[in-house]
Amino acid sequence: RASGGKRRSLVELRGVHRKYLRGLVHGQKPVVQVGQAGITDAVIAAVEAALLDHELIKVALTRPPDKKGMARELAERADAHLCGLVGHTVILYRPHPDEPKIALPAS
């Protein structure tokens, strides 16, 4: 792991939660871009920092050979929920460990 911290256990998101989160992030632009070098430690560090600041982010993939595999790897390495993959844009969610900003709807 890039951060060297211990892994958090994530509660599984239900479909209704993923849909709600995709709606929240719809008008936003990607805050991290994965280039030709792929998913590097620097990319993971940027994703983790963005998740800490925003909880819900978009990550743009530049010409990925396997976008579904890259999306899963990003989520796993950043200890985040994969909420969706729209085109070449990955939607990731990880609640803030101390002060969550996003309240998920009751399921």
Side-chain angles (χ1 to χ4, degrees):
R1 290 188 33 88
S3 64
K6 61 182 176 181
R7 294 181 69 81
R8 292 174 283 281
S9 61
L10 291 174
V11 176
E12 192 60 36
L13 286 183
R14 300 184 60 163
V16 67
H17 297 141
R18 283 188 172 82
K19 185 175 182 179
Y20 173 75
L21 291 168
R22 285 193 305 267
L24 284 181
V25 79
H26 177 71
Q28 297 179 16
K29 299 234 185 269
V31 294
V32 178
Q33 184 164 356
V34 179
Q36 290 182 337
I39 300 172
T40 63
D41 287 345
V43 167
I44 295 302
V47 166
E48 288 182 336
L51 284 167
L52 200 56
D53 287 345
H54 306 288
E55 294 183 328
L56 181 64
I57 64 168
K58 285 183 175 179
V59 179
L61 305 177
T62 306
R63 294 196 312 258
D66 174 19
K67 64 183 181 179
K68 289 181 182 177
M70 287 181 83
R72 283 190 299 269
E73 181 182 349
L74 272 171
E76 184 178 308
R77 288 184 62 189
D79 292 330
H81 290 286
L82 175 58
C83 294
L85 178 61
V86 181
H88 292 113
T89 304
V90 180
I91 300 167
L92 297 175
Y93 167 71
R94 185 177 73 198
H96 192 279
D98 302 319
E99 299 174 12
K101 299 173 199 162
I102 299 173
L104 295 177
S107 48

